[in-house]
Amino acid sequence: MTNRREFLTQAGMLGAGLMLAPQLLSAKTNAVAGLQLYTLRDQLPKDVKGVIAKVAEAGYKEVEVFGYSKDKGFWGLSAVEFKKLLDQHGLKSPSGHYGMDQLLADGTFTELDDAIAAAKMLGHQYVTMPYVNAKFRRTAADVEKLIAKINIAAERIHQAGLKMAYHNHDFEFTEIEGVPLYSSLLKGANPKLVDFEMDLYWVVRAGQDPVKLFDAHPGRFTMVHVKDMDKQDPKLNTEVGSGSINFQQILAKAKVAGIKHYIVEQENFKIDPYVSIQQSSKYLRTVLLA
């Protein structure tokens, strides 16, 4: 297996300047494998403690959470209890996906403040917006309002000592009155307060090139979802390294992009989910992050 340095050399990425400055190759030196827990959304409600144990056994060191509510916590565990469970298995949680529809709908902060409280309890760096409901992004005027509220949320998150991030699907690359939503977000979201979590699968599925986005917006993409595309059916996911996405080429630009966290996510399976996450973890750790 070609190691990272050999791969970059073969790809023409190592000029004389880089050979004289090997520290520029260290973007992934301390990177670890993370898992978006949405991957195991069917299993978590049945046995949250058992699932988290299996995530750790699969070689993951980080998890990204989703689905929090103040009443139900994380699959029946309070934020405090869930943090203890993660600690028990040596897992950290740099980010969580938290809904912000209340802020977008009426400008109030209860939902966001609950998310911030949970995020601080879990030791997050990021409060991540996972999705924008279609009703908030129909027109250019809607987009303007959306970006204004994202910046308001980002300031509130910043005041709590955290940072906001935005996670994409493919709809962001559809034009709204002539401009793709993603372009508007990258331009309008305060770069000091809002980072981006690029879902590589959705970018590729939308017909876009992650590397071109990295080059155009260096340092904005501090997290990536490493999600592979089935070779036979691009609408399906597959285990990382088994699909059609050239992650080595994309992640060769990790330093330019600003990537700090590599998070596996898979939304559908042809094999046992636990076997799947182990396979993806191994490829991420031993090939992509080696």
Side-chain angles (χ1 to χ4, degrees), residues 78-88 91 121-123:
S78 69
V80 172
E81 292 168 333
F82 191 69
K83 177 63 163 62
K84 289 180 180 178
L85 179 63
L86 295 182
D87 289 345
Q88 178 185 340
L91 293 167
M121 182 58 64
L122 292 189

Side-chain angles (χ1 to χ4, degrees), residues 259-278:
I259 302 170
K260 298 176 183 177
H261 301 281
Y262 301 79
I263 303 168
V264 169
E265 183 183 42
Q266 189 161 331
E267 297 184 40
N268 41 72
F269 302 93
K270 293 181 179 179
I271 63 175
D272 179 88
Y274 293 117
V275 175
S276 174
I277 66 167
Q278 289 175 348

Side-chain angles (χ1 to χ4, degrees), residues 217-262:
H217 306 278
R220 298 296 302 274
F221 304 95
T222 49
M223 298 182 285
V224 287
H225 273 188
V226 185
K227 180 193 302 179
D228 215 339
M229 180 180 288
D230 188 271
K231 291 178 179 178
Q232 282 71 46
D233 185 353
K235 294 182 180 179
L236 297 178
N237 305 151
T238 190
E239 289 65 44
V240 176
S242 299
S244 60
I245 295 179
N246 188 340
F247 289 114
Q248 288 183 317
Q249 182 181 50
I250 293 168
L251 297 181
K253 285 281 191 172
K255 187 173 180 65
V256 172
I259 302 170
K260 298 176 183 177
H261 301 281
Y262 301 79

Side-chain angles (χ1 to χ4, degrees), residues 128-167:
T128 301
M129 175 182 277
Y131 180 78
V132 177
N133 191 294
K135 66 184 179 182
F136 299 121
R137 50 180 169 86
R138 293 191 178 112
T139 67
D142 289 341
V143 173
E144 186 175 349
K145 292 175 183 176
L146 169 63
I147 291 172
K149 289 187 175 179
I150 284 175
N151 285 327
I152 289 170
E155 179 60 38
R156 199 170 184 91
I157 291 167
H158 173 71
Q159 290 174 359
L162 304 169
K163 195 165 189 179
M164 184 173 177
Y166 181 90
H167 164 270

